[in-house]
Amino acid sequence: MRRLATVAALTALLAGCSPDTSALDAQKPVQQKVTLEVALIGPIEFFDMLVQWGHNNVETQEERTPAPNWVKDLTLTWPDDKYVYVTASAQKKPSVDDRLAFVNGQPSVECRLRINGQVVETDTSAAPQCDFNLSATPPPGPSASAG
């Protein structure tokens, strides 16, 4: 009887020593190239952009840019980085009179978010927001064409 108990205990111990690697494989880090893009559309000569962006591991970053286009490239690693976003709005340049700035209307803003080169989110409005939840299976990259 004692031998049976010893064999049972040894079997249980050995079973616990061999981890299930399929669960570990599902959590392997996956790097993804993220591109955040923002552009002014419409009458842009009197406007800058106020861009806010970030991801779950960084506080919201804010940049005021005079350019009509703004691009930020990031490399994020899932599962540490799970969520990424960008939002923006047109801002009248401080040195421009209101009557002059808005004579042709206010520009719209377009945001675009790419994961590994593939557009996964776009939005156009006065203050658009593009965001994406990263996962272990990123969108496929752009297909290469021979030409």
Side-chain angles (χ1 to χ4, degrees), residues 22-147:
S22 62
L24 296 175
D25 289 344
Q27 293 295 312
K28 284 185 179 177
V30 177
Q31 284 197 335
Q32 300 184 52
K33 183 178 180 210
V34 176
T35 304
L36 309 173
E37 303 172 10
V38 177
L40 287 177
I41 300 170
I44 63 171
E45 58 274 358
F46 302 119
F47 292 88
D48 292 333
M49 285 188 296
L50 182 63
V51 180
Q52 295 178 320
W53 64 273
H55 54 87
N56 60 289
N57 282 324
V58 67
E59 291 186 30
T60 298
Q61 304 293 306
E62 187 172 280
E63 297 179 33
R64 186 171 181 131
T65 177
N69 297 302
W70 177 90
V71 177
K72 180 70 126 186
D73 289 320
L74 306 168
T75 299
L76 300 180
T77 304
W78 181 92
D80 294 335
D81 302 308
K82 293 179 177 74
Y83 177 75
V84 61
Y85 62 92
V86 64
T87 184
S89 60
Q91 302 286 310
K92 179 186 74 70
K93 291 181 180 181
S95 61
V96 176
D97 181 81
D98 283 357
R99 292 172 293 185
L100 178 60
F102 295 101
V103 71
N104 292 322
Q106 182 167 346
S108 293
V109 181
E110 179 181 71
C111 66
R112 179 174 294 127
L113 200 149
R114 295 177 191 267
I115 306 292
N116 301 323
Q118 179 179 332
V119 175
V120 295
E121 179 81 22
T122 62
D123 190 14
T124 303
S125 69
Q129 178 168 325
C130 292
D131 56 359
F132 192 75
N133 287 315
L134 301 172
S135 72
T137 51
S143 60
S145 60

